[in-house]
Amino acid sequence: MCGIFFRVVRDVEDSTCDKVQLQRIRDALRCRGPDCANTITIELNNVGKLTFFSTVLSMRDPLTVQPLQSVDTTNILQFNGEIYDVAGDLKEYGNNLLLDEAELDNDQIGPGRNDTSLVMHLFERFGVQMTIQCLRGEYAFVYFDRANQTVWWARDCIGRRSLLVNSSVPGEFSLSSVPSFDHEKRKNWVEVKGGSLFKLDLSQMNLETEIPWTVDENTSNLTYPYSTISHTAFDEYKPEQFYLSEFESILREAVQRRVLAITHAAHSNYAILFSGGIDCTVLAYHLITILHDHSLTIDFLNVAFENPRTGGGYNTPDRLLGRRSFEELSKAPGCVNAKCKLNFVEINIPFHEAQEYKAQVIDLMYPKQSVMDYSIALAFFFAARGVGHITLSFESGQLSQKAEEYSTPSRILISGLGADELYAGYSRHSAGFRRGGYDTLAEELALDFGRLHERNLGRDDRVGANWGKELRYPFLDEDFVKFSLECPLSYKIRADFESEFIGKYLIRLFARKVGLYRAAEESKRAIQFGARSAKMDIGSGKIKGTDTFL
């Protein structure tokens, strides 16, 4: 995880740059990348002054200082994210990018090379567009091609990392992982659209090119590594066992890629955002079985808020469910003899502490401004911080109760985001199915998946990364997305004999297969209600989630 800030100013003396605001942005970027901070400044004739400021949260050896500048060409790369594989025409460059389980030496976890340096090499040798077509991972970047005096930038095709752009002032152009913290100036900052690659000709500051991702392979644009959602309801030729087996193996590989992409020996902890719901419990199962024979620690981060409006203390729905699912995992056949240690970490947030950080959370989640976005962002903000108490621990086959203050050292946060959008986890999906059958369901799912970059991912990245953490999304792995979009709709929603609709059908099948029977029966509960971070002020019950703060 890294922090990116880039600005080009044609007339430095007339620049609207505010030094105080720039410093606040840099401070916020240092929170994202505490291991390294560096600036490169260039002045180009007929262009102006270019400033590249980067911070680094080092996840792979060796620590690569950013902005990364090539020796021969003086091109500059700012890269935020992880590359898990290289496919297509450049697939040979994916060799040894990550180690396979069979290659691990005892407890050693890690990839074979640094991905930022790899991306720079591929950009210079094959060009940006061809390289982006072949990369698989979660990233955002800014790349300066000095010879052609162009700047390229993008989020990955799903949009899993934050990147904002401001081109509102003539003669100025800015990109950043976080927005301006000035309430007036930040109105011109918008999220870079996921699903497009952008290029700016610096000699003509108003000449911006957008290269979109598309499902059409016969195009000069970029081609998605997956197709549009299938409208097929049932598969008459392949049995249920086929889809269950594919689901299991592809999701396991997706989790494995996100677990093994770390090298530092000091990083012996992993963490998962854990509400106890079926999505995160299934991911936790894979996490435990992948790390089964390694002396590592997995922290289960469960957040609860003191909500004066609802009362009830910290025994929130997600707290009760989280404990129950944690205990069920400890008894599951694939987990019971695990060598790794499991910690259930209760993160209790008093009302006064939530209020103390309210302004910061609102700033970080911008350009999202709604009450609902704040409720969700608040929960992610404190869950990602990972400061609480270990109350349950599972080690050497024994489940024990504790009361130990704790702060997770893990820099990796596994998130279950994407399962609802791919497998019909929201009530509106059931409503769409009831209204128009599987065709309407497919339309609703396509809409939700297509706007993840705008509705969820940028916001979650900005608030979670504030603590020097990196969110990783196994359900949004490109291979898993491809399988899920092609999967018949009956494995997403199915009607039972009582005419009730069962969403996330295939995920529930898998949970039952591995012994997670109670988790398999859990219904969807939004994090803001499960953790009680929604509408915490007395008298706020009538406020709508779509209302804005600003």
Side-chain angles (χ1 to χ4, degrees):
M1 174 62 66
C2 301
I4 294 172
F5 178 80
F6 166 77
R7 184 188 292 268
V8 56
V9 181
R10 174 153 290 178
D11 190 336
V12 177
E13 293 184 358
D14 293 335
S15 171
T16 61
C17 298
D18 184 321
K19 291 184 179 180
V20 174
Q21 288 304 311
L22 287 178
Q23 187 58 50
R24 290 190 66 188
I25 290 176
R26 291 183 182 219
D27 290 343
L29 295 177
R30 285 188 175 93
C31 292
R32 296 174 61 93
D35 295 327
C36 175
N38 191 39
T39 302
I40 295 176
T41 302
I42 297 174
E43 293 199 19
L44 294 178
N45 293 333
N46 303 320
V47 172
K49 181 179 179 181
L50 281 66
T51 301
F52 305 82
F53 176 75
S54 291
T55 61
V56 177
L57 176 73
S58 183
M59 305 297 286
R60 301 189 184 197
D61 285 328
L63 188 156
T64 302
V65 175
Q66 292 199 44
L68 181 61
Q69 186 167 7
S70 59
V71 176
D72 297 333
T73 63
T74 63
N75 295 336
I76 295 173
L77 174 64
Q78 297 175 282
F79 182 80
N80 169 31
E82 301 290 341
I83 300 301
Y84 303 119
D85 200 2
V86 183
D89 294 336
L90 304 182
K91 62 182 179 181
E92 64 183 280
Y93 292 92
N95 295 339
N96 299 320
L97 186 62
L98 299 178
L99 296 179
D100 295 326
E101 280 183 293
E103 297 178 276
L104 296 177
D105 179 16
N106 296 323
D107 290 332
Q108 181 185 1
I109 302 291
R113 66 177 73 165
N114 179 275
D115 50 355
T116 303
S117 300
L118 174 64
V119 172
M120 172 69 93
H121 171 76
L122 295 178
F123 278 177
E124 293 193 323
R125 183 168 181 179
F126 299 104
V128 176
Q129 184 170 341
M130 182 176 179
T131 300
I132 291 301
Q133 178 67 69
C134 298
L135 296 182
R136 300 291 181 266
E138 303 158 347
Y139 60 84
F141 72 87
V142 175
Y143 176 65
F144 170 54
D145 179 349
R146 183 158 191 156
N148 295 301
Q149 294 200 356
T150 56
V151 174
W152 298 79
W153 68 97
R155 300 160 73 186
D156 64 68
C157 63
I158 299 174
R160 289 161 286 188
R161 292 288 178 260
S162 171
L163 193 62
L164 302 162
V165 60
N166 182 354
S167 57
S168 62
V169 180
E172 295 185 24
F173 181 84
S174 302
L175 293 159
S176 178
S177 300
V178 297
S180 169
F181 294 95
D182 182 288
H183 287 197
E184 287 300 317
K185 292 183 179 179
R186 75 181 181 194
K187 292 179 180 178
N188 296 318
W189 287 87
V190 297
E191 294 203 69
V192 171
K193 182 168 60 174
S196 286
L197 170 66
F198 296 90
K199 178 176 69 171
L200 178 67
D201 184 341
L202 292 176
S203 64
Q204 304 179 61
M205 290 281 285
N206 62 342
L207 187 58
E208 180 180 313
T209 302
E210 177 180 355
I211 303 170
W213 288 81
T214 175
V215 295
D216 183 5
E217 296 182 0
N218 300 313
T219 178
S220 59
N221 296 322
L222 294 157
T223 304
Y224 280 114
Y226 43 81
S227 59
T228 56
I229 190 167
S230 171
H231 282 245
T232 299
F234 297 92
D235 187 341
E236 299 177 0
Y237 304 101
K238 294 177 182 176
E240 185 174 90
Q241 181 57 41
F242 169 82
Y243 286 99
L244 182 57
S245 177
E246 288 290 288
F247 173 91
E248 179 176 5
S249 63
I250 297 173
L251 183 58
R252 180 181 175 82
E253 290 172 1
V255 176
Q256 181 176 305
R257 279 191 279 270
R258 284 151 181 80
V259 169
L260 303 186
I262 184 170
T263 58
H264 299 303
H267 299 167
S268 59
N269 282 62
Y270 294 82
I272 182 167
L273 301 175
F274 192 73
S275 67
I278 186 171
D279 305 333
C280 59
T281 302
V282 163
L283 292 183
Y285 174 85
H286 280 303
L287 191 59
I288 295 167
T289 55
I290 289 168
L291 299 175
H292 187 278
D293 298 325
H294 300 280
S295 299
L296 301 167
T297 300
I298 305 173
D299 295 328
F300 291 65
L301 307 180
N302 183 279
V303 67
F305 289 82
E306 177 192 29
N307 190 322
R309 190 179 64 83
T310 61
Y314 297 115
N315 283 322
T316 63
D318 278 1
R319 175 59 47 78
L320 300 176
L321 177 59
R323 291 173 184 158
R324 190 162 67 238
S325 295
F326 183 84
E327 292 181 13
E328 185 173 36
L329 277 164
S330 71
K331 300 172 184 176
C335 305
V336 67
N337 295 316
K339 186 179 178 181
C340 53
K341 178 182 179 182
L342 314 181
N343 291 326
F344 185 74
V345 183
E346 296 189 1
I347 301 168
N348 297 331
I349 308 301
F351 177 70
H352 71 83
E353 188 172 13
Q355 293 296 99
E356 178 185 346
Y357 284 94
K358 181 176 182 177
Q360 184 178 2
V361 173
I362 292 174
D363 283 341
L364 286 170
M365 75 182 198
Y366 189 86
K368 308 308 291 182
Q369 303 179 73
S370 75
V371 171
M372 181 181 68
D373 281 302
Y374 170 71
S375 299
I376 298 170
L378 190 69
F380 274 106
F381 181 80
F382 284 106
R385 187 176 65 169
V387 177
H389 292 78
I390 297 175
T391 59
L392 291 172
S393 185
F394 181 71
E395 187 174 12
S396 301
Q398 298 295 318
L399 183 68
S400 59
Q401 294 189 356
K402 293 186 176 183
E404 176 185 329
E405 290 187 4
Y406 188 75
S407 177
T408 182
S410 176
R411 293 183 164 198
I412 292 176
L413 301 177
I414 301 296
S415 168
L417 184 67
D420 290 311
E421 289 77 8
L422 291 169
Y423 284 91
Y426 295 123
S427 59
R428 62 177 173 272
H429 298 146
S430 297
F433 181 52
R434 183 180 295 109
R435 185 174 65 250
Y438 281 117
D439 282 338
T440 300
L441 171 64
E443 293 169 1
E444 291 287 343
L445 290 172
L447 175 64
D448 277 349
F449 179 73
R451 61 188 182 184
L452 263 174
H453 68 99
E454 191 275 329
R455 287 172 64 94
N456 304 82
L457 290 164
R459 175 199 65 207
D460 293 354
D461 179 81
R462 288 189 292 278
V463 298
N466 180 73
W467 304 107
K469 312 289 185 179
E470 181 175 272
L471 288 161
R472 297 184 180 178
Y473 306 99
F475 285 119
L476 294 179
D477 177 87
E478 288 90 343
D479 288 344
F480 185 78
V481 167
K482 182 178 187 299
F483 164 77
S484 300
L485 292 176
E486 294 174 355
C487 187
L489 294 165
S490 59
Y491 290 105
K492 300 176 181 183
I493 279 186
R494 192 168 291 192
D496 67 10
F497 294 110
E498 298 178 355
S499 297
E500 293 184 2
F501 301 127
I502 304 172
K504 295 194 275 197
Y505 181 76
L506 190 55
I507 302 179
R508 298 182 193 280
L509 279 181
F510 172 74
R512 294 187 188 99
K513 175 186 175 182
V514 298
L516 301 172
Y517 299 106
R518 297 187 71 175
E521 302 306 317
E522 291 299 330
S523 58
K524 170 68 179 177
R525 182 185 295 113
I527 187 173
Q528 65 269 35
F529 302 117
R532 290 188 178 146
S533 60
K535 303 178 183 179
M536 296 177 65
D537 295 309
I538 298 292
S540 62
K542 295 182 179 180
I543 296 175
K544 295 180 180 179
T546 53
D547 290 345
T548 60
F549 276 105
L550 305 176

